[in-house]
Amino acid sequence: MATAPQERSNLVRTFELLWNLREHSGLGRKAGLTVDQITSAAIEVADAEGLDSFSMRAVADRLGVGAMSLYRHVPGKEELLDIMVDRVCAEVRYDNEGPASPGDWRTRLEHIARSNRAMIERHPWLLRLFPRRPPQGPGVLAKYEAELRAVEGIGLTDVEMDSALALLLGYVRDATAGVLEWKTVSERTGQSDDEWWMTIGPLLDRVLVSERYPLAMRVGTAASEHYKGVHDPEYTYEFGLQRVLDGIEAFVRTGRE
């Protein structure tokens, strides 16, 4: 386990790398690699294989160099992960300029939610990195700045602006994780929804009694008919997103009254 001074040293080194304040550590001969190349390769490895197989050696193999070559540029795996997070945050683009007008802030928040979901779907390994202190790099800060502009000037205090974003993005992160998990259920279990229902349906018929489980039978039947199956993760995701936005809108409206 790293000592506190070492952790502080690596934090400083990571910050310098994020802001391009220092490219090489000065250890040994200057290699033909850059932090940008290493980060790109690392993201490719994580996207393809997830974090279970992620390592400095795996990144080095993708670049066709020895693992020790990477350490001339990046202190270690944890620091590289921070740089990767900052890079993928920089991929997110918003078209909002200046403070939100009273009539369009909800649309902007909805756009933020969809953009963050798309980022997670492109890079699902991000879900494994929570909770984690966000790297204070240009990608993370630019994304945060743009997201704050969506709720600037609508009647929230600074702390409420930050909390509204935390609420929205927390929902997006957790709900997207649920959608991605559901999409792999058939693969993980070896059964499609129809196959699962053909097995479990007759068994349920033997034990379900409407007098004992009236709500379960009524609601379960209505839901499965609506979903045309066991579950519809996209419907559930959208339902939850709109309710989160409803809650923020109600809070903003209350503050103005």
Side-chain angles (χ1 to χ4, degrees):
M1 183 175 181
T3 62
Q6 183 63 46
E7 289 173 349
R8 286 194 294 271
S9 175
N10 287 346
L11 182 60
V12 171
R13 173 73 172 131
T14 303
F15 186 86
E16 291 174 340
L17 292 172
L18 287 167
W19 291 94
N20 198 28
L21 300 179
R22 182 174 63 169
E23 172 67 16
H24 296 282
S25 67
L27 297 175
R29 181 176 59 86
K30 181 178 179 179
L33 289 175
T34 65
V35 173
D36 188 62
Q37 290 172 324
I38 294 170
T39 305
S40 295
I43 291 171
E44 290 173 3
V45 170
D47 287 348
E49 303 176 20
L51 292 189
D52 287 339
S53 302
F54 184 83
S55 67
M56 297 293 276
R57 180 170 297 280
V59 176
D61 289 345
R62 182 165 289 253
L63 289 166
V65 300
M68 291 306 297
S69 298
L70 305 186
Y71 292 100
R72 294 191 179 100
H73 303 271
V74 182
K77 175 181 172 180
E78 292 302 310
E79 292 74 26
L80 180 54
L81 287 170
D82 277 344
I83 298 169
M84 291 161 60
V85 169
D86 192 73
R87 167 76 74 80
V88 299
C89 283
E91 296 174 359
V92 181
R93 293 287 186 270
Y94 302 118
D95 56 8
N96 52 314
E97 295 293 338
S101 64
D104 68 2
W105 65 265
R106 177 168 174 146
T107 299
R108 291 190 179 192
L109 282 186
E110 189 168 335
H111 178 55
I112 285 171
R114 301 197 190 288
S115 297
N116 276 270
R117 174 177 170 175
M119 177 184 69
I120 294 171
E121 290 179 329
R122 289 193 303 271
H123 310 291
W125 48 269
L126 288 168
L127 295 169
R128 292 279 302 275
L129 298 180
F130 292 100
R132 187 184 185 91
R133 292 188 180 105
Q136 299 301 296
V140 167
L141 292 180
K143 179 174 174 290
Y144 183 50
E145 176 78 14
E147 290 166 350
L148 286 171
R149 283 201 295 269
V151 289
E152 169 74 337
I154 67 172
L156 299 178
T157 68
D158 288 352
V159 174
E160 289 167 350
M161 288 166 61
D162 180 78
S163 296
L165 284 176
L167 172 65
L168 177 68
L169 298 183
Y171 170 78
V172 170
R173 181 181 68 243
D174 294 343
T176 302
V179 171
L180 294 177
E181 283 292 318
W182 185 261
K183 287 180 177 180
T184 66
V185 165
S186 294
E187 180 182 344
R188 287 187 284 109
T189 62
Q191 280 185 316
S192 67
D193 285 354
D194 288 342
E195 291 169 334
W196 178 84
W197 190 251
M198 287 176 62
T199 300
I200 202 68
L203 299 175
L204 284 173
D205 289 340
R206 293 166 55 185
V207 298
L208 281 182
V209 180
S210 59
E211 291 79 8
R212 180 178 297 180
Y213 308 109
L215 283 176
M217 292 191 67
R218 189 189 82 210
V219 174
T221 299
S224 58
E225 288 177 353
H226 178 83
Y227 300 147
K228 297 180 173 57
V230 179
H231 179 56
D232 184 344
E234 294 296 341
Y235 175 88
T236 302
Y237 178 92
E238 190 63 29
F239 180 88
L241 173 59
Q242 297 305 320
R243 300 300 76 76
V244 170
L245 294 172
D246 286 345
I248 296 173
E249 185 172 9
F251 182 77
V252 171
R253 187 166 55 248
T254 300
R256 287 176 170 169
E257 291 174 351

